[in-house]
Amino acid sequence: MKISSLLLFVLSFGSITAPLSNLSAQETKKLIVCSTTQTADFARNIVGDDMVVKSILPEGADPHTYEVRPGDARLVASADLCIENGWHLEGKDWMKQLCLDSGKKCVTAVTGIEPLKLVEEGTTVYDPHAWFTPKNGATYVRNITNAIVDIDPANQEKYESRARLYLIQLRDLDTWIRQEVNNIPANKRILITNHDAFGYFCQEYGFQSASPVGWSTGDEIGAGMSNAKRKEVIDSIKAYNVKAIFMETSVNPKTMQELATEAGVKVGGSLYSDSMGAPGSAGESYIGMMRENVIKIVTSLK
Amino acid sequence: MRPLLALITSILSIGLVYGYLEFAKRNRPSAGIEVDYAAKGEFKIDLTVTCPLEPDPFALDLEEDKALTLSFEGREIFKGTDLPQGEPVNIENFGQLQAGRIVTMNGKQVEQVGKNEFFVKVAIPFAYQNKAQAVRIRITQDGLTLVEKTLWSNAQGTAIEGIVIAELPAIVTPSPSNNLHEY
Ligand SMILES: [Zn+2]
């Protein structure tokens, strides 16, 4: 009887403490809240399982027109680190506002990138879609790594080690894109998408670009569709004998389908633009979305 | 009554185990003699790169990380961007190399060669990725070549990465009382 009591004590002690220790490990993990799926993916590649990373923007959603929900404010309020893309990608600066409301510091991931400047209605706007080159992606990774190290300097070595591996992957991605794009003759490198999300990509890999909507799908300066822009795009398609135009996964496809019919050109598929794909899809990661975009562009335009 | 008995038994068991561990720790045999395996001589490295270098856009720290880094046992001993193309750069005072030693395995004395591992990483500028690039590393001991190796760029032509090992054998001293050696 005595032995069975002892056994019972040891077993019950173990069964109580084990789940408790798991729970406390989860509770003590720091929380990073990112505005977009891309910044969240960069952060995940740096923190591994050491921290929890959440994106406010769901996969496939549009950051320009996103409307914050009550849950977002609670999430930001509980964050140890908040990261936004910046340059007004988040329409009306919704991430900055959420951080301001909760008294949290907001790290801007595009800091240090040479901006692509767009002059819209007499105002200079910085194109916020900077993640579209792996080189700029490297700057996102550096900024996010520094911010993570700031909140957990004890594990600096681990974060920097993961960041270095990820930067190797970004370097390889950049080289691979150059090799693939090389299959498209220079005079056929014209990328027509719903909105001007691909400016950095086009500049880096030698494409011309056009879109009926402008730099933002929201209602910022110079954003939104106009008949003049629409006509310009159709004229460009005809003048350059463009083989295909592209929809975007985070934008309603209707405009581009109508435009394709009108211009007599095929649709080359949907490109991942302002947010990544759902978990399990090919575009669930930054590298995956870039890879799938390049494959669609090359096979449609070459 | 039974839970109380179980609690007392547990405390007693934990106390006994703790006491034994403390006893074992205090009576553990000492690690023995401290042995210095440091290799003797003057060591130098010559590094030669086939292309001019530029700051690496994929480096983690643009301020600190340079286009070429040479590490020895996880410690950066040289980094630079302004390297003369095709001209050797001399590196000195980079740390202590380890000589080999004689160890006893299955009752026999076996030589364990001292392996000194260097890791070199070079980011090749985009303009020079169209053909293979290389870095040559020569490690000398008192002016004599210990190892010389040429590492070539990866399949994409974007970087050179590799390991160079400087091996230093053990020299057995004729001391019957000490099977360790001096190099
Ligand atoms: Zn956009």
Side-chain angles (χ1 to χ4, degrees):
Chain A
M1 284 302 272
K2 281 176 193 171
I3 291 167
S4 63
S5 295
L6 182 64
L7 264 174
L8 191 68
F9 174 78
V10 170
L11 283 173
S12 55
F13 186 73
S15 61
I16 290 164
T17 53
L20 275 176
S21 63
N22 283 344
L23 197 67
S24 64
Q26 273 178 3
E27 279 172 354
T28 54
K29 277 189 186 178
K30 286 188 172 11
L31 171 67
I32 302 176
V33 176
C34 300
S35 60
T36 65
T37 54
Q38 290 89 350
T39 46
D41 189 45
F42 292 140
R44 264 184 218 109
N45 275 282
I46 298 160
V47 298
D49 284 333
D50 291 331
M51 291 187 194
V52 176
V53 179
K54 289 191 175 166
S55 164
I56 289 185
L57 199 72
E59 301 86 10
D62 184 345
H64 302 289
T65 55
Y66 182 71
E67 286 181 11
V68 294
R69 298 163 301 184
D72 299 338
R74 280 197 296 274
L75 198 61
V76 168
S78 61
D80 295 283
L81 174 62
C82 299
I83 301 168
E84 64 152 3
N85 180 86
W87 289 342
H88 314 298
L89 175 79
E90 296 85 353
K92 310 246 182 341
D93 288 338
W94 53 261
M95 186 62 176
K96 268 197 183 82
Q97 192 57 49
L98 281 170
C99 293
L100 203 68
D101 294 347
S102 336
K104 299 273 173 175
K105 190 185 152 200
C106 188
V107 172
T108 302
V110 291
T111 305
I113 290 172
E114 180 65 38
L116 203 60
K117 291 172 186 161
L118 313 165
V119 179
E120 301 285 357
E121 298 167 27
T123 305
T124 303
V125 176
Y126 288 179
D127 182 348
H129 308 87
W131 65 88
F132 269 113
T133 71
K135 247 185 230 174
N136 286 349
T139 304
Y140 279 70
V141 171
R142 277 188 285 273
N143 289 333
I144 295 170
T145 305
N146 291 340
I148 289 166
V149 169
D150 278 349
I151 62 161
D152 186 17
N155 288 309
Q156 179 172 2
E157 226 170 274
K158 282 204 273 182
Y159 303 132
E160 290 188 350
S161 182
R162 291 194 194 101
R164 281 202 179 87
L165 173 64
Y166 192 64
L167 289 168
I168 290 170
Q169 293 168 20
L170 293 187
R171 186 201 301 279
D172 286 347
L173 175 68
D174 178 61
T175 312
W176 175 83
I177 295 173
R178 288 179 201 287
Q179 286 170 353
E180 290 300 310
V181 166
N182 186 250
N183 290 307
I184 311 173
N187 64 348
K188 288 186 176 178
R189 290 190 197 175
I190 299 150
L191 190 60
I192 295 175
T193 52
N194 184 284
H195 84 299
D196 284 330
F198 296 85
Y200 293 90
F201 178 90
C202 291
Q203 189 188 46
E204 188 71 25
Y205 304 110
F207 284 79
Q208 299 288 323
S209 67
S211 84
V213 171
W215 74 274
S216 169
T217 55
D219 52 6
E220 287 90 352
I221 295 171
M225 188 154 66
S226 69
N227 284 338
K229 279 184 197 165
R230 204 168 190 278
K231 190 179 176 304
E232 272 173 26
V233 171
I234 292 172
D235 289 348
S236 302
I237 294 169
K238 288 176 178 166
Y240 287 96
N241 196 20
V242 173
K243 280 176 76 179
I245 63 172
F246 299 88
M247 300 181 293
E248 295 171 37
T249 54
S250 55
V251 182
N252 190 328
K254 194 167 163 265
T255 307
M256 294 313 275
Q257 283 163 343
E258 285 174 359
L259 212 125
T261 311
E262 205 174 324
V265 69
K266 71 169 182 176
V267 175
S270 284
L271 302 180
Y272 293 104
S273 60
D274 288 5
S275 57
M276 303 187 317
S281 72
E284 67 174 348
S285 68
Y286 170 74
I287 290 177
M289 70 171 260
M290 293 293 282
R291 181 192 64 223
E292 295 310 307
N293 283 354
V294 169
I295 287 172
K296 276 181 192 150
I297 293 167
V298 171
T299 50
S300 302
L301 297 185
K302 73 176 180 186
Chain B
M1 189 59 191
R2 272 180 199 164
L4 185 67
L5 194 65
L7 185 66
I8 292 165
T9 319
S10 305
I11 290 166
L12 272 175
S13 312
I14 291 164
L16 279 171
V17 170
Y18 179 77
Y20 171 75
L21 287 174
E22 277 299 300
F23 173 80
K25 202 160 81 182
R26 279 178 202 162
N27 289 282
R28 196 176 292 156
S30 80
I33 23 166
E34 285 290 321
V35 184
D36 182 13
Y37 297 114
K40 301 283 188 291
E42 194 185 7
F43 293 91
K44 288 182 182 175
I45 299 173
D46 285 343
L47 263 179
T48 315
V49 196
T50 56
C51 63
L53 302 176
E54 290 170 6
D56 178 11
F58 292 98
L60 181 59
D61 187 338
L62 289 180
E63 299 294 315
E64 287 296 317
D65 284 7
K66 300 289 182 183
L68 183 148
T69 52
L70 179 70
S71 307
F72 173 49
E73 293 177 342
R75 184 171 49 83
E76 273 180 7
I77 56 169
F78 179 80
K79 54 186 169 188
T81 299
D82 302 321
L83 268 74
Q85 182 184 3
E87 298 278 328
V89 174
N90 197 255
I91 304 158
E92 295 176 34
N93 304 320
F94 48 82
Q96 193 61 62
L97 266 67
Q98 302 290 301
R101 56 179 172 169
I102 303 294
V103 291
T104 306
M105 287 180 78
N106 297 333
K108 287 179 185 168
Q109 290 198 328
V110 181
E111 182 186 354
Q112 201 177 56
V113 177
K115 290 193 175 180
N116 298 274
E117 198 172 278
F118 294 82
F119 176 70
V120 68
K121 191 178 85 175
V122 185
I124 301 168
F126 180 64
Y128 296 89
Q129 291 174 7
N130 56 347
K131 62 178 183 180
Q133 302 293 343
V135 60
R136 190 174 65 216
I137 300 160
R138 192 166 76 101
I139 303 170
T140 58
Q141 183 184 23
D142 294 328
L144 297 171
T145 302
L146 196 61
V147 60
E148 185 167 2
K149 193 170 179 183
T150 303
L151 297 163
W152 292 92
S153 45
N154 61 13
Q156 292 85 17
T158 55
I160 304 169
E161 281 168 313
I163 293 280
V164 177
I165 297 172
E167 290 192 348
L168 290 168
I171 292 176
V172 186
T173 49
S175 161
S177 60
N178 185 359
N179 63 4
L180 299 161
H181 66 285
E182 224 180 43
Y183 188 81

